[in-house]
Amino acid sequence: MSEAITPEVFNHLVELAALALDPQEAEYVRKQLNNQLKAIHELEAIPLEGDIAATSHGVPYTVQISPALREDEWQPYPNPQGILAQAPDSSDSYIVVPDIPHTTLE
Amino acid sequence: MELSDLSAHELALYLRQRRISAVEILESCLKRIEAVDGRPGRLDGGPLTVEDEQKVHSFITLTPERARAQAEAVDRKIAAGEDPGPLAGVPFTVKDIFCVEGTPSTAASRILANFTAPYTATPVARMEAAGAVMLGKVNLDEFTYGSSNESSAFQPSPRNPWKLDRVPGGSSGGSTASVAAGEAPLSIGTDTAGSIRQPAAFCGVVGMKPTYGRVSRYGLIAFASSLDCPGPVARNVTDAALMMNTIAGADPHDSTAANVPVPDYLAALEQGIKGLRIGLSPDYFRITYPNLQNGTFETQPLPAEIEASVRRAADLLAAMGAEIVEGVPMPNTRFGIPAYFVISRVEAASNLHRFDGVKYGYRTPEPMNDLRAMYRQSRGQGFGAQPKLRILMGMYVSAAQYSEQYYNRALRVRTLIRQDFDRAFDPQGPYRLNALLTPTTPTTAFKMAALYGDSVLMQYADQLTVPANHAGVPGVSLPAGLDGEGLPIGIQLLGPDYREDVLLRIGRAYEEATETDPWRRVRPQALL
């Protein structure tokens, strides 16, 4: 059985996922992904007739049991400085990040 | 017997009777932790020592000062004649996947190692409001991604108190190890594919996955949002019921916490099980897993001791008046893991994109020229192999060209799994079950390092627990004896939506029937 996730596909996924892997880790992860896909292929053998809808939640949510949504109201948070203090780099209540790359559209 | 070995309901009672104080209970638990836990999990924990191999290592963060302040407040309330709450003075541990204000909330990952939660998760807040005393945060698989706790970035990872060369299971392994070792009578864990029930079975404790939406997920660091369920870990059914009374119910902070009235789980416990219909399914007495060499699937029966424990439980329950229904078909059970490989990964990938080194958590210390490079390096260094695997798989199977083949198909298979349960529990259907009785796990606790690294086999440890997560139905794992090696065996009860009360009632009946069993008096290795 040929590998579905080739090094090229893998590198593309890694780029999309904004990850960085060293070569040893990449080899392990890619092998595991291909193994997992073999397990996932079992799904293809299941007969699914046309009227089987997708379930995104096991328990049905009816109007009766769905909580009413809150009003969309502004509420003050007591400690914004505490939130900002968690940022790896901040200055004068701004979170600092490296340069954001710009692409000029043609 | 020390206070730390008493159950939560006994401690709560004695405290109200003023026979003991909350501070005395706390000191007893801290003494136990000191005696059996060893060093807590740490980033770059270094090599394991011989002493490490003799300890449980449940904790990442112990918070004794915070606990002492809570215990003293409980004692002051009692002295003043005020109601201290139903769980007053009862210590509990919290899986470190819940935010608790002012404590490190790490998800057992380097990427959140320096994160201090600015707010408290609803289930934890409810425990504290009921007077329970939080001892600290316990270890887990990184972001809950595993069934052994070995993937934690905080090492040493927890060990099974029953046999210290075994895994405690996972991902709520720190929770179940801490309860089994008498460090706390209660813990709060989460279950996405079996992460409460599987480690509960491995550690010989009671673990309940409530119905999806029964317990609020607010403040839970999300893994797979359509599957995650917070729930109780306890040493007996009554304690689990007591904890469910506290944590269950709607929450304005979680729109998926269902607006369904919460019954008094304690009141229902002793009602007996006469007339309840309890099913056995052949599909839960075998497991199917892939042979990666030749691409075929192999089906094997479960170990005889595990099947025998379930059959014996059925006999005991029948003798107490339950009606046992044999041969209930649950034909889609075997597809639970492949569907889970797809659905959980897609949801995990979505949830993990928020960790980017910008607002909180780990950022690479290396200077980076642009934002994208900073994202890649921070995530590359901050996430361990398991989160990376889940992100990449989630992105692959939901990519536009594959989503019909994988993701949409998995969601339809999920419908089939739900239909199995609907048919079994339908009050007008052929089976009309109040509960399904199954084994919790295909094996007892495996050795440390036996499966770690093989992400496929590790996932198949959840084969008998994951269908309930797909279907959303409640389940509970109960200790049901020891195997030939002295390792706990777990049996599982699964029930209709929101019928945790019935499962707990059956569980309590099973406890009564086995009260005098010799295994109930055996102590875990860590306590000898």
Side-chain angles (χ1 to χ4, degrees):
Chain A
M1 195 168 149
S2 64
E3 284 180 331
I5 302 180
T6 61
E8 293 70 35
V9 172
F10 182 77
N11 291 339
H12 180 59
L13 282 174
V14 169
E15 174 72 22
L16 288 177
L19 286 172
L21 285 80
D22 65 45
Q24 199 189 346
E25 193 178 31
E27 194 187 322
Y28 167 75
V29 168
R30 194 171 73 81
K31 183 176 173 212
Q32 292 297 316
L33 287 175
N34 279 307
N35 283 348
Q36 292 184 6
L37 266 188
K38 287 178 192 164
I40 291 169
H41 277 137
E42 197 184 6
L43 295 177
E44 291 170 16
I46 306 171
L48 288 171
E49 281 100 55
D51 60 344
I52 297 170
T55 295
S56 55
H57 266 280
V59 181
Y61 272 79
T62 60
V63 175
Q64 287 77 28
I65 68 164
S66 300
L69 294 177
R70 282 172 292 159
E71 291 295 313
D72 188 9
E73 283 174 344
W74 178 83
Q75 291 175 15
Y77 180 73
N79 183 20
Q81 286 309 318
I83 300 283
L84 273 171
Q86 299 264 354
D89 192 1
S90 66
S91 168
D92 194 22
S93 294
Y94 286 93
I95 290 173
V96 179
V97 294
D99 281 349
I100 298 171
H102 285 75
T103 308
T104 307
L105 294 176
E106 292 177 8
Chain B
M1 185 175 271
E2 294 161 49
L3 290 180
S4 56
D5 291 314
L6 294 182
S7 64
H9 66 275
E10 287 170 310
L11 291 171
L13 176 69
Y14 298 161
L15 189 86
R16 283 165 178 279
Q17 293 172 336
R18 303 194 183 199
R19 290 161 64 183
I20 51 175
S21 72
V23 170
E24 284 169 340
I25 300 170
L26 172 64
E27 295 302 339
S28 177
C29 288
L30 292 175
K31 200 173 124 195
R32 172 64 55 83
I33 292 165
E34 172 75 30
V36 306
D37 209 57
R39 62 186 173 119
R42 287 271 176 272
L43 284 184
D44 310 310
L48 274 187
T49 65
V50 175
E51 198 202 337
D52 286 337
E53 291 173 356
Q54 300 304 312
K55 299 291 184 186
V56 178
H57 308 287
S58 301
F59 281 87
I60 290 179
T61 306
L62 187 64
T63 53
E65 292 79 20
R66 191 176 188 281
R68 200 163 279 118
Q70 288 180 329
E72 285 167 358
V74 167
D75 285 338
R76 275 196 303 275
K77 275 192 178 174
I78 291 172
E82 296 168 32
D83 180 1
L87 283 172
V90 176
F92 72 109
T93 62
V94 176
K95 184 179 185 180
D96 204 12
I97 196 76
F98 290 98
C99 289
V100 177
E101 187 176 357
T103 70
S105 298
T106 69
S109 179
R110 184 181 296 276
I111 211 161
L112 283 176
N114 64 2
F115 172 62
T116 300
Y119 70 104
T120 298
T122 296
V124 179
R126 286 181 178 170
M127 292 291 285
E128 295 195 326
V133 172
M134 190 191 80
L135 297 176
K137 311 292 284 296
V138 285
N139 217 330
L140 62 148
D141 284 289
E142 184 175 359
F143 278 102
T144 79
Y145 301 163
S147 305
S148 72
N149 269 229
E150 293 161 290
S151 68
S152 173
F154 290 70
Q155 295 287 335
S157 65
R159 291 172 167 262
N160 192 314
W162 285 88
K163 227 170 183 216
L164 292 158
D165 64 346
R166 305 293 170 133
V167 301
S171 64
S172 306
S175 288
T176 58
S178 67
V179 171
E183 297 175 343
L186 299 175
S187 185
I188 179 152
T190 59
D191 190 314
T192 306
S195 275
I196 289 175
R197 290 162 290 155
Q198 185 257 21
F202 279 12
C203 289
V205 296
V206 175
M208 171 166 261
K209 178 203 102 68
T211 311
Y212 181 85
R214 176 96 275 188
V215 178
S216 168
R217 292 182 294 117
Y218 180 70
L220 167 63
I221 298 169
F223 160 17
S225 302
S226 78
L227 300 158
D228 294 339
C229 295
V233 174
R235 284 195 293 269
N236 60 64
V237 172
T238 307
D239 285 3
L242 187 60
M243 191 163 153
M244 279 298 290
N245 272 359
T246 301
I247 62 175
D251 177 10
H253 291 115
D254 177 1
S255 64
T256 61
N259 207 359
V260 175
V262 179
D264 182 345
Y265 295 107
L266 277 178
L269 274 187
E270 310 289 343
Q271 287 174 358
I273 56 169
K274 209 167 168 41
L276 290 185
R277 289 171 63 84
I278 299 172
L280 296 173
S281 172
D283 297 306
Y284 275 85
F285 289 120
R286 54 184 172 227
I287 51 159
T288 303
Y289 56 91
N291 179 327
L292 297 176
Q293 266 65 52
N294 61 19
T296 60
F297 286 82
E298 293 173 8
T299 299
Q300 281 197 354
L302 293 191
E305 288 172 303
I306 292 181
E307 176 160 352
S309 298
V310 179
R311 302 255 174 223
R312 175 169 180 256
D315 290 344
L316 292 169
L317 295 170
M320 297 176 91
E323 195 176 330
I324 303 298
V325 182
E326 297 260 7
V328 179
M330 302 292 285
N332 295 293
T333 302
R334 63 177 285 190
F335 305 126
I337 293 294
Y340 182 77
F341 263 130
V342 175
I343 295 168
S344 70
R345 271 54 173 180
V346 172
E347 296 186 16
S350 168
N351 278 321
L352 291 186
H353 278 303
R354 75 189 64 177
F355 303 110
D356 57 5
V358 173
K359 299 178 291 299
Y360 54 87
Y362 178 86
R363 181 188 288 190
T364 179
E366 298 154 25
M368 288 288 136
N369 289 334
D370 74 52
L371 184 66
R372 284 193 198 132
M374 190 279 282
Y375 287 157
R376 281 197 294 274
Q377 283 305 312
S378 298
R379 288 161 60 84
Q381 294 164 6
F383 286 131
Q386 297 308 316
K388 285 174 181 161
L389 253 171
R390 302 216 176 194
I391 293 168
L392 293 168
M393 182 56 93
M395 295 186 70
Y396 181 79
V397 295
S398 62
Q401 67 270 43
Y402 300 125
S403 65
E404 191 55 44
Q405 178 186 355
Y406 293 123
Y407 184 56
N408 292 347
R409 192 166 185 90
L411 290 178
R412 295 171 75 202
V413 171
R414 188 174 183 177
T415 305
L416 295 179
I417 295 170
R418 171 77 194 186
Q419 286 173 353
D420 283 354
F421 287 101
D422 283 343
R423 199 164 42 242
F425 297 138
D426 180 356
Q428 269 81 50
Y431 303 105
R432 305 181 304 284
L433 300 184
N434 297 101
L436 190 68
L437 171 64
T438 80
T440 310
T441 54
T443 66
T444 52
F446 42 86
K447 281 203 167 131
M448 309 268 307
L451 290 188
Y452 187 54
D454 186 333
S455 66
V456 175
L457 269 189
M458 187 68 89
Q459 189 70 78
Y460 276 79
D462 293 332
Q463 184 158 152
L464 305 178
T465 45
V466 73
N469 297 80
H470 284 303
V473 299
V476 64
S477 180
L478 307 165
L482 303 171
D483 73 2
E485 294 186 90
L487 292 164
I489 294 172
I491 57 172
Q492 176 176 236
L493 290 161
L494 303 170
D497 298 344
Y498 308 109
R499 292 320 300 266
E500 292 85 355
D501 57 334
V502 174
L503 301 186
L504 292 165
R505 209 166 113 198
I506 300 169
R508 178 68 196 122
Y510 174 76
E511 274 182 353
E512 283 178 59
T514 55
E515 211 164 38
T516 57
D517 281 8
W519 62 267
R520 288 215 179 260
R521 289 186 295 282
V522 180
R523 301 262 286 173
Q525 181 194 0
L527 301 184
L528 299 179

